[in-house]
Amino acid sequence: MIKGPSDANRNTAPIFFLLRKWLDHNVIDLGRQMRVSYVPPLMVYLAAGVSGLTGIVGTFFVKEYLGLSAEFLAALGFWAMLPWALKMPIGHLVDLLWRHKAGLIYLGATLIAAALLIMINLLSDREYMQSLWPVENWYVLAALLAPVGYVIQDTVADAMTVEAVAVIDEQGRPLPEPEILAAHTTMQTLGRVAIIGGSLLVAGVNVAFFSGIETMDEAQKAAIYLSIYRWALWIPVISILGVVLSSYLRAQEEWRLAAHGFEFEDIERLTARAREVPAVNWPLLGGGLGFALFAAAVGLGGLRNSEEIVFAGSLAIVLFLMWRLTMDLDGKTKNRLYGTAFVIFAFRAVPTTGAGETWWMIDDLGFDQQFISKLSLIASTLTLLGMFLFRRFMAERPITYIIAVLTVVLGLLYIPNIALYYGIHKWTAELTGGVVDARFIALVDTALESPLGQIAMIPMLAWIANSAPKQLKATYFAVMAAFVNLALSLSQLLTKWLNQGFVITREVRDAATGRIVVAADYSELGWLLIVVMGLNLAIPIAAIVLAKRTWLKD
């Protein structure tokens, strides 16, 4: 029997109904929960996302202009991540100086702008900069200044997310606790969306900038690099505008409540802005300052294994501060927090292959700036989609379940990279008439992997926003984030060790003579990929088992 149009419509109607229901439940509903008060911290987070504008340029700048090894770059990545451990004293300072938070945003913006101006001058007048200081030293300074600026801004933004969530209705009556918790979860989700949205924006910009890059000479490429860094100067401006908007919205809300007859003290209390200034935690401030001086002394002292020494010291300090900070929590809450933080730490501590894999993709697979920008655009787009797709999954599953699923999926997604190294793209391209080539496989792998990376942090951020003491929100965010971000430092440290064992080099030529100084050698990359995949699977799973037996017992 042949089905008519009415039968087809009846069959497709449930599908469209379910799709519309899903979109309403996971995407449109998040938009409905958006509030104007959320915009200021989201602008600071957006600036962090937009910071990726210079990522691809930085990769090619290092490859084309500097002779830094993969091992050195991994070590530099360790030092660049270390300022995030300073979120502890910075977070406490934010709580102490909350009324002056705008000044901290301005300070962070100044450091970011300084790092960008260094790179602009390296590209526009390299000879002059080199006459003042070696180019490699300027690059390292810029690579360290920017993270400090972003740490300061991120710490303030974390606490601003708490202030952004309303605790009273329009008549000044307190809102129910479940409604406030739901708003905190929405706020934290929107924060991740802002960061990823920023990366999506800059990925699209990079695709446009690098259009036709394959036909350009070195001077034209350098001009594009310079233009991108100049556009990046808008990054600190975005965060400053967020603070300006925050001040305006606060004044508007105060006028509205005053119009309802509330006195000044009541307005401060009802809007949760009459924050009780906590007592100065001198061990926290002193420990943070001591840690900064210790790290600087070890790093500048040229000690052997300086990264390992600094990591061990910083981890000990953070663990001690976590213990001190959570002393007043009940046993069950404390164990839940410890177990959650430990599992996320292990998940983020897994090593990467380092810069060598990107160099190999550029040299052997022919991935140019525009194609890498397209990969970044796809990754950002699908990550943003994944935030909506997995929103209920994050809310309804325990963190151990979420991390276990992400670990297995992300670990298995290393297989296409390994297969590419051993030449599977040559076989698939021949079999499919050139359709399934290296770029096709890379696009598919990126599409599958990209939605998964940002998911794990949201449950812990929502817990801190809702459960931490009101006057210590920034401190809680800072200490927990410092612990989890130390995992990224450990990841860079493990990456450095792996690059010591599996030596990968790109071709480096003398700028004056054109003579090859270092020959390209990617012969050990295959084993490096296999080892990294194994560690990416083993480390988080082992952490989950340990946490379930120690802190997260049923």
Side-chain angles (χ1 to χ4, degrees), residues 80-81 83-87 90 146-156:
M81 282 305 308
W84 291 94
L86 289 172
K87 285 194 74 172
I90 294 173
V148 176
Y150 286 117
V151 167
I152 294 172
Q153 293 198 346
D154 189 72
T155 306
V156 177

Side-chain angles (χ1 to χ4, degrees), residues 370-426:
Q370 189 184 40
F371 181 71
I372 293 176
S373 299
K374 289 178 180 177
L375 289 179
S376 178
L377 179 62
I378 291 171
S380 299
T381 302
L382 293 177
T383 299
L384 191 59
L385 177 62
M387 296 289 291
F388 298 115
L389 188 64
F390 295 108
R391 186 180 168 210
R392 299 295 171 182
F393 172 77
M394 289 183 288
E396 297 169 2
R397 300 289 191 282
I399 189 65
T400 50
Y401 183 87
I402 295 171
I403 295 296
V405 171
L406 294 178
T407 295
V408 172
V409 175
L410 289 171
L412 293 178
L413 285 175
Y414 263 92
I415 293 176
N417 293 10
I418 297 171
L420 279 174
Y421 177 79
Y422 287 106
I424 193 174
H425 56 287
K426 298 176 182 177

